[in-house]
Every structure is written in C-alpha cells, then in structure tokens.
Amino acid sequence: MAQHILGVDLGTTAIKAALFDADGREVRSHTEEYSLLTPQSGYVELLAQTYVDTFRNAVAQVLDGSSVKAEDVAVLGLSCQGETLLCLDDQGAPLRPVIVWMDTRAAAEAEELEAHFGRSTIHATTGQVSMDAIWPSSKLLWLKRNEPDVFERTARFALLKDYIIFRLTGRLVSEDSLLCTTILWDIRTRDYWPEMLDLLGIDRNQLPDIAHQGEIVALVSDEGARDLGLPVGLAVSVGALDQACGALGIGNAVPGIFSESTGSALTSVTVVDELTLDPHAQVPCFPSALPGQYMLHNFSTGGMVMRWYRDQFCQPELQIEDLCGVSAYQLIDREVEQVPPGADGLVVLPHLQGSGPPDLDNYAKGLIFGLSLAHTKQHLSRALMEGVTMVLRRMIDATEKLGVEVGEILSLSGGSKSAAWCQIKADATQLPVHTLGAAESAACRGAALIAAESTGAITSAASRAREGVVFEHTYTPRQENEAVYQALFEKYCELQALVAPFARKAADG
C-alpha cells in the first residue's frame, strides 16, 4: 500500500497542499494565494474556477517538487473554510460567483430568521449561539429575494469542500463539522433541519449527502484527474472544517488544550467529549475532526486585518519582499517592536467584516481610536496586532466561563510566525504561548491523519497527531506589561460597546 498521504487546506485567501509520510511527518508543502473580490461593502466573492485552478497548482507544486510519485499517494484528505456557498445547475456548473464565508450581505435575513425561530431554538438545534449573516441559511434567503432566478435555477446548493469533492469524484457530499454552521443541519440528529428547509423553500435533494468526518466517500474520476491533477482512483476523504483539522494537526485532540489560529480568521478551539451548549449563548459548539467528539470554537474575521494592512499600506515592505526575499510581515514585526505595549494610547477594533463569537455582531466595523500627531505607522502596526489580541482575550474569557481552565495557548497559522505578535498575546493574556514546528501545515496534517485512519493506514488519528508534536518556541508572559494590557482590554470592550449602535445605525441608513 502507498505510504504517503496528501492533505489540502482550502483557505480563505490561499490553498495549501502538503505531503506527509505514514507517520504524519511533513515531506513537502506549497501554498498558492488568491485575492478575494469585494464588489461592494459587505460583499465577498470569488469565481469557482479560481478555487479549482489554485487547487490544481498547489497540488502540482507539491508532487512535482518531491520524490514521491502521484501514484504513491494513498489517500487525499481535505480541510476547508466553512460557510462558503455555491449554487450549481443540474450539470454541476456554478450559476454565480461563490459567496465567501465572511460575506455579510444577509444581515437583515439573519435577523429575520432569528426572530422567526428564536435564538434558543437555533442554539439547541445547531450548536450555534445565534443567527449570523455569514451562515448559508441567511445567504440562501438573501438569494431567494435578491436573485430569484439563480435561486430557482439552482439544482444543488454546496459548500466549497463539497464542490471540490464533486469536481474530483462526481459525488456531492459533506460532513458534520462543515454542515453545523449552515443552520440547515441538526447537530443532535445528524440530519438536515426540516423546519429551516421548509421556510427557505429548499428540498433535501438539493443538498449534499452526509458522511462522517474523515470518511472515504469516493475515488478520483477520469474527469477529476484531468481537472485537478490527481491520479484516477485515488481515495478521497470528506475531511473536516479547517479549524477542526488544524486543532487536530497540532495535537489538540483531547479535553484540556486551548489552541488559537491567527490567519485570515482568528479562531480558538477547545475539545470536549460531549455536546456542550453555552448557557451564556456566547461560545458555539461544533463537531470536531473526529466523529463523536465536539469542540468549543470561537471565530472572528479580525485576523484578516493584517493582510489588509499589508496590501493597502505597506507597499515599501512589499517592494523589499520582491527585491530581497524578506517577508513584508517580518518587516512589519520589526516596526511593531519599535513601539511600547499599548501603542501610546492607540486602540484598534479590527472588525473589518463584522465580528464573530463571543461578540457576534454582523454590523461591527473597524475603528482606529486615539490617533494623534505623535503616532506613526509603527504605532498603527502594533495597535492592529493588539486589537486582534483583544479579540483573543475575549475568546479565552468566554471559554473559561464554561468551566474550561486555560493554562497555556498553542498557536498556529500565519500569526504564529510573528514573534512580536506571539509576545503580545502572551503579555495580554498572561499565559505562555507555544508555537510548534510545521504548525503552518496543521490543517493539512489533521485532514491527512483522519483520512489515513479511515483507510486503515493508522489506527488512531488522535494518537498519531499527539506524537511528535514539539514546541518550537515558548513566549513567556512579561508581568510588567500586565497592567498596560488590562487597561487596553477594558478600553477595547468599552469602545466596542459604544460603537455598536453607531455601526447599526449606519447600516440602517
């Protein structure tokens, strides 16, 4: 049997492919980026073919650059962003651009659905604490009203991972960890929620089949091989949500571990053995990457603020990157280190596309407060990192209210590469922050491991995930900065509460 496993992570702004050996050790990886389309405020889209082309390129770079032949790959595992929605015709072709997960055009529809069912019913049925504009059910109601022709012509509604599996195999299938935020799915019955389907006017046959996380669901077809560059007959695992795969990939597979991921989104994950519904209705509960297990999972679009800042305000840094190969993010790190904690009173609310749990607000907007002639670009660089860190602190507070003791933080994704940011997180939370070797490929690794377990190549993805996890660096909290960050946190929370009514009023016109 082939001894290599391919894991692919379908991210918000990039697709990463990574090849692993039978022990879960990375052999090679490659990341291909793309830019999202934002035709107007609140709208975030991308052409479906962009995902297909980027997937093919990422996989080709990994296989072509290694000594492993494509036919020596045993199985493909997939990790993917949630909530990104496609409308397919009866031939499986997209009828419109993909609506990306962070798109908030359906804020009014989310409120209407919440008013109809009630927040407590939504929470008890789906595990999600309330309606959100990013949920596919909200987007479907928006489509029904604003693009009725597309809605009526849609033969199948799909999420991004479902679509890639369809392109690979011809089968449309999804799984628990991705379906739970559609608000079309019942977390207790593991089936679609009939009352929601009835309200939206959707037939169950228009939705994907349901599999368990990691389950082998099909083999790569002739057409899939031509389109996506993988060998005919390769086993395809249905995979799981990116945050679930990422947590598993760094060994967060048992209760008592807290991990955070700072990439396009800022997220946190704590694994629990039973379905846990927050009585405060702040922290959502998701199925994890392993069937029968759950995770307390907060998320926010705040992590994308650094890429936005890099692309819009850091042209000199990008030019240096092009000329010298030094990452623009490394240069931003150096700027941050020139400024003291607290950024001399500059405070940022990093909600460029709404805010997620535990402070869910579809209308939330970004804010730079306290700006003066004394502030420099370096101050803003630091204040942006600190603003996202305040969101992380809110996630920790809300998780601890559920009786979960957070004693340390495991950090992954792009933000873990920033020494300045990791130190800010340690100082602001007064908790040690650990980064791990190859953490950038954690989601690919998690997807690969659950796929390998499903083929029988390994006996336990959880055990294998925890083996070989080594801390690359530990950032110890500096007690002398505790008071500064406590004051910043209080100011952040107060500003967030004060600005919320104005953001809502602006949205109402």
Side-chain angles (χ1 to χ4, degrees):
M1 181 178 179
Q3 293 299 307
H4 288 86
I5 314 159
L6 181 62
V8 178
D9 177 40
L10 309 171
T12 303
T13 57
I15 291 178
K16 181 164 193 169
L19 195 61
F20 301 88
D21 65 18
D23 293 320
R25 292 186 295 259
E26 183 177 322
V27 175
R28 178 177 170 81
S29 65
H30 179 77
T31 300
E32 288 274 327
E33 290 190 352
Y34 42 78
S35 297
L36 299 172
L37 307 176
T38 52
Q40 63 186 80
S41 179
Y43 286 45
V44 187
E45 299 182 340
L46 198 63
L47 297 178
Q49 192 60 39
T50 300
Y51 290 113
V52 172
D53 293 342
T54 307
F55 180 100
R56 183 178 56 248
N57 293 340
V59 167
Q61 287 292 329
V62 166
L63 294 177
D64 293 348
S66 74
S67 59
V68 179
K69 298 178 181 179
E71 55 266 28
D72 291 331
V73 177
V75 63
L76 167 67
L78 292 170
S79 159
C80 188
Q81 59 186 281
E83 299 93 46
T84 294
L85 180 68
L86 294 94
C87 300
L88 308 178
D89 67 16
D90 56 5
Q91 300 299 310
L95 291 167
R96 68 172 322 282
V98 179
I99 304 179
V100 178
W101 69 271
M102 63 177 62
D103 186 293
T104 58
R105 73 184 71 184
E109 286 73 19
E111 290 185 352
E112 183 176 334
L113 290 172
E114 184 170 294
H116 178 85
F117 287 103
R119 184 170 287 197
S120 61
T121 297
I122 291 166
H123 189 195
T125 304
T126 69
Q128 305 309 305
V129 294
S130 64
M131 283 304 301
D132 192 326
I134 73 172
W135 301 151
S137 54
S138 303
K139 294 170 180 172
L140 289 171
L141 185 55
W142 184 93
L143 284 165
K144 185 176 183 179
R145 290 175 172 170
N146 294 275
E147 298 182 9
D149 180 60
V150 170
F151 188 86
E152 289 299 323
R153 291 169 56 207
T154 299
R156 306 292 295 274
F157 296 102
L159 301 174
L160 176 57
K161 180 158 64 65
D162 313 341
Y163 178 68
I164 293 296
I165 293 172
F166 174 76
R167 291 291 296 263
L168 283 165
T169 71
R171 184 183 179 194
L172 196 67
V173 57
S174 198
E175 45 74 33
D176 301 41
S177 67
L178 210 67
L179 286 170
C180 69
T181 55
T182 62
I183 318 298
L184 305 171
W185 188 83
D186 189 324
I187 197 170
R188 297 180 186 274
T189 66
R190 291 197 63 249
D191 205 347
Y192 291 110
W193 183 11
E195 290 80 4
M196 181 62 80
L197 301 192
D198 290 344
L199 179 65
L200 295 174
I202 293 174
D203 188 272
R204 195 185 190 286
N205 293 330
Q206 292 179 276
L207 300 171
D209 298 336
I210 300 173
H212 285 288
Q213 305 96 295
E215 183 178 333
I216 304 302
V217 292
L219 305 179
V220 173
S221 66
D222 291 342
E223 186 176 357
R226 287 194 300 271
D227 287 348
L228 292 155
L230 287 170
V232 174
L234 176 66
V236 177
S237 161
V238 72
L241 179 70
D242 53 2
Q243 299 306 322
C245 288
L248 176 65
I250 61 166
N252 186 352
V254 295
I257 301 174
F258 183 93
S259 62
E260 68 88 14
S261 171
T262 305
S264 299
L266 168 68
T267 67
S268 68
V269 170
T270 302
V271 168
V272 291
D273 285 332
E274 298 179 348
L275 177 63
T276 302
L277 299 181
D278 181 1
H280 309 289
Q282 289 189 327
V283 181
C285 187
F286 286 63
S288 79
L290 303 174
Q293 189 184 68
Y294 297 87
M295 62 185 193
L296 302 173
H297 173 40
N298 290 294
F299 46 91
S300 170
T301 59
M304 180 169 271
V305 71
M306 290 310 297
R307 174 162 175 175
W308 167 81
Y309 176 64
R310 181 200 69 176
D311 293 348
Q312 300 301 325
F313 299 98
C314 297
Q315 293 307 309
E317 289 86 349
L318 287 169
Q319 289 172 359
I320 292 172
E321 181 177 293
D322 288 341
L323 292 171
C324 304
V326 179
S327 167
Y329 288 121
Q330 288 180 270
L331 298 173
I332 293 170
D333 251 26
R334 295 174 189 172
E335 295 170 359
V336 169
E337 291 164 350
Q338 297 172 25
V339 176
D344 289 330
L346 202 60
V347 185
V348 169
L349 303 185
H351 309 312
L352 302 191
Q353 195 72 22
S355 65
D359 298 317
L360 181 61
D361 183 356
N362 293 320
Y363 300 98
K365 298 294 183 184
L367 175 71
I368 301 172
F369 177 81
L371 196 62
S372 73
L373 290 173
H375 289 111
T376 64
K377 180 180 175 182
Q378 288 84 349
H379 284 90
L380 182 56
S381 298
R382 186 175 191 100
L384 287 164
M385 288 188 180
E386 290 178 338
V388 176
T389 303
M390 295 303 103
V391 180
L392 174 62
R393 184 161 166 181
R394 278 289 297 126
M395 292 176 174
I396 293 172
D397 287 355
T399 301
E400 288 184 325
K401 285 181 180 178
L402 296 178
V404 176
E405 183 177 348
V406 179
E408 58 185 3
I409 299 171
L410 303 185
S411 185
L412 62 151
S413 291
S416 68
K417 293 194 299 182
S418 168
W421 209 345
C422 287
Q423 189 62 57
I424 289 170
K425 290 172 182 175
D427 292 349
T429 63
Q430 286 297 293
L431 295 169
V433 173
H434 307 293
T435 61
L436 301 95
E440 285 184 27
S441 300
C444 295
R445 183 172 188 254
L449 289 174
I450 57 175
E453 180 179 322
S454 293
T455 65
I458 61 175
T459 56
S460 170
S463 298
R464 188 61 57 87
R466 292 176 60 78
E467 294 170 3
V469 172
V470 178
F471 292 161
E472 188 173 62
H473 193 88
T474 294
Y475 297 85
T476 304
R478 298 168 179 166
Q479 193 171 359
E480 63 268 24
N481 293 333
E482 181 177 8
V484 172
Y485 282 117
Q486 179 59 32
L488 175 59
F489 182 62
E490 292 172 2
K491 187 182 294 185
Y492 170 90
C493 292
E494 186 176 0
L495 276 171
Q496 184 168 251
L498 288 170
V499 169
F502 292 96
R504 175 57 188 265
K505 186 177 180 181
D508 290 341

